[in-house]
Amino acid sequence: MMGSGVDDTWVVIPVYNEEKVIGDVVADVRTAFAQVVCVDDGSTDRSADLAASAGARVVRHPVNLGQGAALQTGFEYALADPSMEFVVTFDADGQHQIADAVGMVEQLRAGGADVVFGSRFLDERSNPTFAKKMVLRAAVGYTNLTTSTKLTDAHNGLRAIRRPVVERLEITQNGMAHASELVAQVGALKVRYAEHPVHILYTDYSKAKGQSLWNSINILADLILR
Amino acid sequence: MKIVLIQLLLIVVVIVIAARLLRGRGARPQAVRRLGLLLFAAFAVWSILFPSVWNRIAKLVGVGRGTDMVLYALVVAFLSFTLTTYVRFRDFEARYTKLARRQALTEAARPHDVPDTREPPKEPYAGS
């Protein structure tokens, strides 16, 4: 499952206070990808140490900056490796499935796309609550309207990106609006993008930590005022 | 709906301030802002010495009293200040993010550690 045998993929995991699950998540990712970098966004718990023990490289932000900032830091870390060809963005809370990430990188390898966005709405595996589904649909509608992209899931943390695109991305939205900003930049770059069905596992843990609906209002405000 | 001149003026001012402040970077917008501030300060002093000028301005633009005019001017000034502050805040955030990121990346081990192949200096540094 290690691809072509050359370590050309880096998995970037933004982490903020996930000590309960990060060790397992990293171990799980490493069954398929050898190179994992956890960007510790100023956690106050033991996330960074646990991630390192599980085999990830760790980059520590000196202060909490936000998930968007952590992602950009992860991109720059991966870019420093000249043999990096693909970057996977992966959530730290155990919502994502490694099999989906593997499939998305394979899709990049096969050619035909430069960015693969995960979408939980392409199949029936994921089960968001009704309220969450409505908010996500609104986000998709807004994103499709304001960027030159057409997606079914505009707020999915699971993505696979080819190096030339990573080089040209610059996430400036530190907070939750980074997801839409990334989509907008991909649209503006006019690179080929595709979607891949992913299964989002809504465990009790991840539901408790998940993005609250109030955040959606903040995201919209950030986007409009950017 | 009968539009009074003051409403038109206020709307125009708000839009101009918003547009200017959201785009103003570099020497010229800054100089314009500073000049504006100077003129404003001069006018403020004048109007303190001759407060009836507010009444005249008010009558000119269709506002009832001088005090109401002062109030409207204050609202505009406050909005302008809020906008400036927001833009400056966003600027600060971008800068300290870059700083924090550079710090974090420098501290972390590089993905593939490259052996240091620089030659050591041939001679001890002659600091005479």
Side-chain angles (χ1 to χ4, degrees):
Chain A
M1 274 236 259
M2 291 289 199
S4 57
V6 175
D7 281 339
D8 58 1
T9 307
W10 276 92
V11 179
V12 172
I13 306 181
V15 181
Y16 182 67
N17 289 344
E18 300 278 8
E19 66 180 354
K20 289 205 174 71
V21 292
I22 191 62
D24 292 332
V25 170
V26 170
D28 185 35
V29 173
R30 287 198 11 112
T31 61
F33 298 101
Q35 299 180 132
V36 179
V37 57
C38 287
V39 182
D40 172 24
D41 192 22
S43 298
T44 52
D45 66 6
R46 299 178 50 232
S47 298
D49 293 329
L50 292 169
S53 306
R57 301 288 192 124
V58 175
V59 178
R60 287 173 158 86
H61 280 164
V63 292
N64 175 249
L65 297 174
Q67 196 180 27
L71 218 61
Q72 180 64 30
T73 300
F75 289 163
E76 294 186 18
Y77 183 86
L79 282 168
D81 175 6
S83 60
M84 179 276 282
E85 287 302 321
F86 308 109
V87 166
V88 172
T89 67
F90 200 87
D91 281 356
D93 56 9
Q95 280 194 334
H96 290 153
Q97 310 308 305
I98 255 304
D100 292 330
V102 171
M104 288 160 74
V105 175
E106 290 313 306
Q107 192 174 350
L108 284 182
R109 273 189 217 284
D114 301 309
V115 182
V116 180
F117 292 105
S119 171
R120 80 201 85 187
F121 296 120
L122 288 180
D123 62 19
E124 301 297 311
R125 284 182 294 167
S126 310
N127 287 310
T129 64
F130 178 75
K132 182 123 192 165
K133 208 192 290 202
M134 286 302 110
V135 168
L136 286 170
R137 291 251 187 248
V140 166
Y142 177 79
T143 305
N144 286 349
L145 226 84
T146 56
T147 68
S148 47
T149 62
K150 281 250 166 298
L151 297 175
T152 59
D153 188 349
H155 243 272
N156 200 303
L158 185 49
R159 315 168 184 91
I161 312 172
R162 208 187 284 277
R163 185 186 185 107
V165 178
V166 179
E167 283 170 351
R168 294 158 76 189
L169 287 174
E170 194 180 342
I171 304 299
T172 60
Q173 292 285 341
N174 287 359
M176 282 318 212
H178 72 273
S180 316
E181 188 191 23
L182 200 153
V183 171
Q185 290 188 4
V186 167
L189 288 173
K190 303 223 181 301
V191 293
R192 306 163 304 167
Y193 64 91
E195 287 190 292
H196 191 283
V198 300
H199 176 33
I200 303 291
L201 198 65
Y202 293 102
T203 62
D204 288 326
Y205 175 80
S206 69
K207 271 195 275 209
K209 290 215 82 186
Q211 210 175 310
S212 82
L213 294 181
W214 294 112
N215 260 329
S216 313
I217 297 172
N218 285 325
I219 290 170
L220 223 66
D222 277 336
L223 280 175
I224 292 169
L225 290 169
R226 108 193 113 170
Chain B
M1 185 180 89
K2 176 172 163 251
I3 301 264
V4 177
L5 184 57
I6 180 63
Q7 292 171 308
L8 213 67
L9 284 178
L10 285 176
I11 290 170
V12 167
V13 167
V14 168
I15 291 174
V16 166
I17 287 173
R20 259 274 177 69
L21 289 177
L22 289 179
R23 266 172 260 274
R25 212 132 294 193
R28 213 177 73 135
Q30 197 187 42
V32 167
R33 282 198 287 270
R34 288 190 165 154
L35 228 84
L37 193 62
L38 198 68
L39 289 172
F40 167 76
F43 176 74
V45 171
W46 178 267
S47 70
I48 289 165
L49 294 171
F50 305 103
S52 61
V53 68
W54 285 111
N55 276 320
R56 278 198 284 160
I57 296 173
K59 234 194 352 225
L60 197 71
V61 296
V63 172
R65 308 177 304 166
T67 45
D68 293 343
M69 191 63 231
V70 174
L71 183 61
Y72 294 147
L74 183 63
V75 167
V76 170
F78 177 73
L79 283 176
S80 157
F81 172 75
T82 305
L83 240 76
T84 316
T85 307
Y86 176 75
V87 170
R88 212 179 296 150
F89 168 77
R90 244 183 20 188
D91 216 39
F92 283 163
E93 194 182 35
R95 288 189 206 200
Y96 89 67
T97 295
K98 286 203 165 94
L99 197 62
R101 177 171 298 134
R102 172 70 69 90
Q103 171 71 20
L105 288 171
T106 303
E107 256 180 28
R110 286 176 309 172
H112 283 251
D113 283 302
V114 177
D116 191 344
T117 53
R118 286 176 300 178
E119 292 283 293
K122 292 278 192 280
E123 272 141 25
Y125 182 60
S128 57

